[in-house]
Every structure is written in structure tokens, then in C-alpha cells.
Amino acid sequence: MAAEVLREYALGDMKARYLKDKETEQVSLLLLPLACSEREAEKSQSADSLVQIKAVGDIYNEAYAMGNSMRNGETVRRLRFADQSETETEDRKWIETVLRDDRGYQVKHYLVWKPHTPYVRIFCEFENQGNEMVQLEMFESFSLGGISPYADGDGAESLQVYRLRSVWSQEGRLEVLSAEDLQLEPAWAPHAVRCEKFGQAGSMPVNKFFPFIAVEDKKHHVFWGAQIAHPASWQIELYRKDDGFCVSGGLADRDFGHWTKNIEPGTVFRTPEAIVSVAQTDSIDLFTARLTAAAEEGLERAPKCEQELPIVFNEYCTTWGNPSHENISAIVEKIKDKGFTYFVIDCGWYKEEGVPWDIGMGDYEVSPQLFPAGLDKTVELIKQAGMVPGIWFEIETVGKAARAYQMEEHLLHKDGKPLTSYFRRFWDMRDPWVEQYLTKKVIGTFKKYGFGYMKIDYNETIGIGCDGAESLGEGLRQNMEKSQEFIEKIKQEIPGIVLENCASGGHRLEPSLMRQMSMASFSDAHECEEIPVIAANLHRAIHPAQSQIWAVIRESDSRKRIAYSVINTFLGRMCISGDVIGLTNEQWEIIDRGMAFYRKITPVIADGQSYRFGPPIYSARHPKGWQGLVRIGAAKAAYAVIHLFDGELPEQIEMKLPGNYVYQMEEVFSDTPELVEIKKGVLYYSPVENRKALAVRMRVD
């Protein structure tokens, strides 16, 4: 590559190196660990632009790229370096790189770093400075060219790719594949494009994959990775033609997400943000914590009541969509002195008689059968018990039994017809009438009754898009943009409101929505054995301080089962539900001890680093073996959580505790006394039965 270093910037323990090709004047971006020793690796690679964009009508890349990738086509090749500047504001460093072509196309690439953080935010802007409309069909948020600059040649057998797969109630499964497994080796000549493009098309951004990628150079122990902050269709591309290995991603393009965008003269279009990092480390868990640390910026702005990660009671798994003043009164009477901060009235409070909750949403009139004296009486009861009342809304959809279902002129359309799943339709969030309607129904409800907590659910995906824009994908993007604007309106009109992000559990666990909310429902796994597997997986995708985990307690549960369920929540935020009215004092004793234990470890949940232990868990539905997770906090504290599943019981579990610290055991929580001890930095546990859990709280010196 005939390139010269344009400029380098130190960004904490990272550095951004910008390279300019002497012939093409294209600019590449390398993100490198500052402490990594460097050597000049022998490589044959072409420049790969830090901006990946394609305009309709421009020539595609050669060598079998069409249908696989729109990267590096004519639009990219005509862009030339124009300028680069660095600006420091009160709490940010901005690096702006400007590219232009002779048609009046200008692209600005922004890299933004907040001091003392282990990641950067990257996005791009396209400005049409020409005289004619430009139609874009691909515009990605970030592109890293030449990953693994330390390995000679193509880095054979050294590059490893990490993805997080996701399906309903089994979110966050880690997939690890070599570059060779993905056929991302270059050919004998630098001719054919190799590209692994993956992502999601629709309004559930975590439906199939999380918007996440990591690539590891195993020989030099360096990770590169990114998350896409976007609530709709997205894509990530792993790309190579030669010894270089490139990663880019952002909005799903025309091929993948049916997206085109018209840019009129004098107008600007901005991509979503990407959160990007690099580190020299031995662990994917240490690396992903650098990306999830970006959530702390949102947590700092969360309502004051959220700072101590208080405990939630949600009545969904108690009433199963049939809340009423009568049953809520009984629940409140039972739990009012237990230390819950939030009491959430879940779906069904609007039900008409004989209509299931999941086909009646949209009208949102309080049910006179369920709340004969009015909802205000129930809310007042919750407040008098010292809890913040919360309520469920699915604001963006309508069920087939609702009158709103027939308001077709205000609903999304596709091919001129109302966009309909089996029994749901979708509000057109771009419609001013819809905004007024939801302002009355949603914000009006909060103001009328004084709710302080909102569970925002979302139980269907729009798919590739909707009418009303130049493309189906752009219709989807605009609609989801307006959804996020309405969420901001809720926050502005109800100051201090606590928001929960839910989408059939975990289908919306992406950074832009997580930044708007205090926490998220981690999954729709309510009371199954695999909850700790999913909850631990999600440490790689979202900050555990935002991961609300169900502990559903049944009257028939043994002490062992109750302890298992409660300990699950130590992997994130505690949410209790279930048969709380009929529990015995003995059952409550375990829950009470678990809640007290949780309160002691919340500083570590909020500010800590997670380490995973145990054999691979192949089946989420039928887990075998054991799983351990240790989280070490900043304030000389740590805790460990161990779950035993089915299969052969190990005689002893040994977990080498991280770092060269002295660990002192302070408290063990389980249903029975446990054979556990710490010697010379190793935690030893001798289990006696399967399907059991324990937690250990430790001091770290």
C-alpha cells in the first residue's frame, strides 16, 4: 500500500492512525492499542477508505462484489481527501475528516472520544453540494481498514471473528469462527471480493444477531470491535481482497435492507453512531466490557432514584395479563414492607371483557371491570405502600380487537395496504395525528395518575419497511426515528420518569435505545433453567446495570429453586414476580436474604468487570455442566455466582480469581450451607447436587 501517515491521535489507551494513499488520495483509518509493540509487517494490501458509501448509478466494485457488497465502488473511489481538523470541547475530542469529489459530494467522517473512556464513537455525514438530487443506496457508519497490521501476509490461522446470535428467549449466544471458516482468506491473486455481510432487517434490531462484531488477532492478542447504535435495519461487513482485513457497518443497504435515500442539493444526511474500540487483551469478555462501558454515559443521566439499582416488582407473572385493583391490592399488602422501589402494572389493564390483552392494545381505556373504582385508587394504594407506580404500554402497535386497528389512515402501509402481522398493526409514527393521539393516551395517562415508571414493550417487527418514503427501508428508518423522538417527548414532559426497554424481552437491546432508557428486560425467559446462561451472555452486549432479570417465584418452589431464581438476578437488575401472596414465611426468608445480598453487590454491578468460568454450554434449553461468573468492582469488592445444571456433577469447582489480589470471603448465599472456600486466590466449591446456585460476596485487597 503506497500510503503515508496523515496524522495520529492518542485516545487514552488507543490511537487513531489516518493513512492517505499517495495515488488515490483515499484515507484509511486504523485503530490501534497504544501499548502494543509494533513492527512493520510485510503485506500486500490496497487502501481501504474510512468512508463506505454508494450512490445509485455509480459503478459497483469489481470481481463478483455485486449482490454481496457495495463497498469500494465508484462513489468511494472518486472521493479525495480535503481536510482534517481536531477540536476539543469541554468533555470531547472531535476529529473531523473531510472528503470531496468533483460532483459536489462531500462526506465528513467524525471520530469522537470522551477522555478516560475505552471506546470512540464514529459516524458520517453526506452533504450534497451539487446541483442535482443524489440517491444513496449504501452509507455505513464506520470502516476500519487493515485490521491486524501486526501479522505478515494474510495472517493465516490468526484471525478470529466473534458474533452474538439472538433468538426469542435465547439472546446473546456467542459464535466464534475463524476467518478461514468464513472463507475470508484472500485468493492466490488479489482479485475476487470476499465478504461476510450479516445483520437484521426490521424494527427488532436484535432479532437474529446483536449489532456487534469483534475480530481478534490471536497471535498478537489484539481485539477490534464495534456496536451499531440503531433501532432498525443494520448490517456489518467483513471484507477483503488482499492481505488487508476490513470491517465496516451501519445502516442496512439497498441489497440487505431495501434502503435508498434521496439527498436534495444543499441537504445533509447523517448515519447512526457506531461504538468502536481496540485493545490488547486475552479475553473477549474484557474487550466487550469496553464497548458496553458506553452505557455509563446514559446511566449518568438516569433519574436519581436509579443510582442504587433499586428492586422492581412486576405483576405480569403473577396475574398473566389480568391485573385488577383486587389482585394488586392483595399483592401490595404482601410486599409493601419488603423493600421494593417500583411496582409495575403490566399488560392487560385496558382489557375489554372477553378480549385477550395481546390483541386489545391501542385504545388504552382503563378497564372498568378490572378497576371499577378507577385506576387512581390502585395507583394511590401503591404510593401509600412506599413504591413508585409503573405501567405498561406498547405504544407503537395496535391489536386487532382495538378500535385503533381500523384507523387505517394513521397506520403503516406496505404496497398500499395496512402493514399487518398475524394480529398486530403499527402506528405511523411520522403522522402528526398519531403523535397527538399518543400524547393524549400515553403522556396523558402518566400525568393524570402520577406514574413514575414506564415499561415500553414492543412485540412484533415491521420487517423490511413501509410506504411513505423513497424506499421501504427509508420508511422504516424514518418511522423508528420518530418513535425515539416520542420517547424523548415522554422524558421531557414527565421529568424523572424511569423507562424500561422491552421488546418481547430482549429484541431491542441496542445502544441507541439503551441510552434513552434506564434499563431493559433482558429476555422473555421468565422462569426457565437457562436464565443464568442468557443473563451471563448479555454481559457482552449490554451493561449489567441495565439488564433487568426475572425471578419468578411459585408457591410450589422448593428452597433450592427459590435460591436459584433469586441468584439469577445477581447477574443484572433484580425483578421479582410470581405467587408472592401464597408464599410461606420460610420461602420469604430466602427471598428476603437474597434481596439483602443484592443490595450489597449493586455497587459492583454498576461499576465492575465480569469474568466467565465453566465448560461450554451447548444447549441453552437443556444446559449441562456448570457456569461461574465473577465480577470485580472498583471499590475493593467482588462477588461470584455459580450455577449447576444437569449432567455429571463435578467433585470440585475451581475458579482462579482474576488479578493478583487477596480475596476474603464475606458472605455466601444459597438455600443450604455450602462447601466453599478461597485459598491463594482460588475459589473452591464442592457441589452436592445439580440444578443449584450459590453466590459469594468478597472483599478485594
Side-chain angles (χ1 to χ4, degrees), residues 484-498:
Q484 291 194 286
E485 288 179 9
F486 188 76
I487 291 171
E488 288 303 308
K489 183 175 183 178
I490 293 170
K491 293 163 67 175
Q492 291 166 8
E493 297 210 14
I494 316 293
I497 191 168
V498 176

Side-chain angles (χ1 to χ4, degrees), residues 532-549:
V533 178
I534 301 167
N537 285 345
L538 291 184
H539 281 231
R540 300 182 178 120
I542 63 173
H543 198 294
Q546 291 189 293
S547 186
Q548 185 190 116
I549 301 165

Side-chain angles (χ1 to χ4, degrees), residues 3 111 220 288 313 319 466 481 515 560:
L111 186 152
H220 298 89
T288 55
F313 183 89
T319 73
C466 55
E481 182 177 63
R515 192 174 186 178
K560 183 176 83 167

Side-chain angles (χ1 to χ4, degrees), residues 346-347 357 392-397 455-459 500-505 508 524:
D346 212 284
C347 56
W357 72 265
W392 177 101
F393 273 96
E394 190 170 344
I395 58 179
E396 296 153 84
T397 71
K455 178 174 179 176
I456 303 176
D457 209 345
Y458 188 77
N459 289 300
E500 176 190 337
N501 174 21
C502 183
S504 289
R508 277 182 157 179
D524 260 357

Side-chain angles (χ1 to χ4, degrees), residues 584-599:
T584 65
N585 290 336
E586 184 182 25
Q587 290 172 314
W588 267 115
E589 186 271 336
I590 301 174
I591 300 170
D592 290 340
R593 282 198 294 116
M595 292 171 69
F597 189 100
Y598 168 82
R599 292 188 187 95

Side-chain angles (χ1 to χ4, degrees), residues 167-189:
V167 293
W168 181 73
S169 290
Q170 289 181 14
E171 294 85 354
R173 185 183 182 96
L174 183 66
E175 178 180 62
V176 185
L177 296 166
S178 68
E180 289 79 9
D181 285 335
L182 290 168
Q183 290 198 295
L184 291 172
E185 295 181 279
W188 58 270

Side-chain angles (χ1 to χ4, degrees), residues 219-417:
K219 292 182 179 178
H220 298 89
H221 309 292
V222 179
F223 286 82
W224 293 261
Q227 290 184 322
I228 308 297
H230 185 55
S233 302
W234 59 270
Q235 67 186 37
I236 288 173
E237 298 188 74
L238 304 164
Y239 173 97
R240 83 188 310 180
K241 280 186 68 181
D242 49 29
D243 287 348
F245 192 96
C246 309
V247 180
S248 62
L251 289 171
D253 61 26
R254 185 179 186 179
D255 287 346
F256 196 82
H258 297 257
W259 180 80
T260 62
K261 174 69 176 176
N262 296 340
I263 313 295
E264 298 293 339
T267 61
V268 176
F269 178 76
R270 174 182 287 193
T271 69
E273 283 186 342
I275 299 164
V276 187
S277 189
V278 64
Q280 186 173 34
T281 179
D282 293 327
S283 164
I284 182 64
D285 293 328
L286 289 172
F287 178 72
T288 55
R290 297 173 66 87
L291 297 175
T292 59
E296 293 175 8
E297 293 185 51
L299 292 170
E300 290 169 359
R301 297 190 299 270
K304 186 176 180 181
C305 59
E306 274 291 280
Q307 301 308 311
E308 296 181 358
L309 311 186
I311 301 172
V312 181
F313 183 89
N314 183 306
E315 54 74 31
Y316 177 65
C317 294
T318 308
T319 73
W320 292 112
N322 192 45
S324 67
H325 179 78
E326 181 180 7
N327 57 35
I328 290 173
S329 298
I331 296 167
V332 168
E333 182 62 28
K334 193 71 177 181
I335 70 169
K336 63 183 180 182
D337 297 321
K338 296 296 185 180
F340 293 99
T341 296
Y342 308 124
F343 186 105
V344 182
I345 302 172
D346 212 284
C347 56
W349 54 269
Y350 47 84
K351 276 174 45 175
E352 294 186 6
E353 199 163 8
V355 178
W357 72 265
D358 58 353
I359 63 172
M361 62 288 197
D363 297 335
Y364 293 124
E365 300 291 341
V366 176
S367 168
Q369 289 79 32
L370 297 173
F371 300 92
L375 190 57
D376 53 330
K377 300 295 184 184
T378 311
V379 170
E380 187 59 31
L381 186 77
I382 295 169
K383 290 180 178 179
Q384 288 176 355
M387 293 179 283
V388 175
I391 196 165
W392 177 101
F393 273 96
E394 190 170 344
I395 58 179
E396 296 153 84
T397 71
V398 296
K400 69 179 183 180
R403 292 179 293 280
Y405 191 83
Q406 305 304 326
M407 298 177 183
E408 294 186 6
E409 69 274 25
H410 301 300
L411 302 176
L412 290 182
H413 287 65
K414 182 180 176 184
D415 302 322
K417 304 291 184 182

Side-chain angles (χ1 to χ4, degrees), residues 201-204 233 361 396-400 404-430 458 460-468 471-477 479-480:
S203 53
M204 284 183 159
S233 302
M361 62 288 197
E396 296 153 84
T397 71
V398 296
K400 69 179 183 180
Y405 191 83
Q406 305 304 326
M407 298 177 183
E408 294 186 6
E409 69 274 25
H410 301 300
L411 302 176
L412 290 182
H413 287 65
K414 182 180 176 184
D415 302 322
K417 304 291 184 182
L419 181 54
T420 309
S421 71
Y422 191 67
F423 48 75
R424 273 182 174 81
R425 289 177 174 172
F426 305 85
W427 288 119
D428 187 339
M429 301 298 288
R430 301 163 295 182
Y458 188 77
E460 192 51 271
T461 175
I462 290 170
I464 60 173
C466 55
D467 296 343
S471 63
L472 292 174
E474 175 60 10
L476 170 66
R477 189 199 66 81
N479 193 74
M480 304 317 295

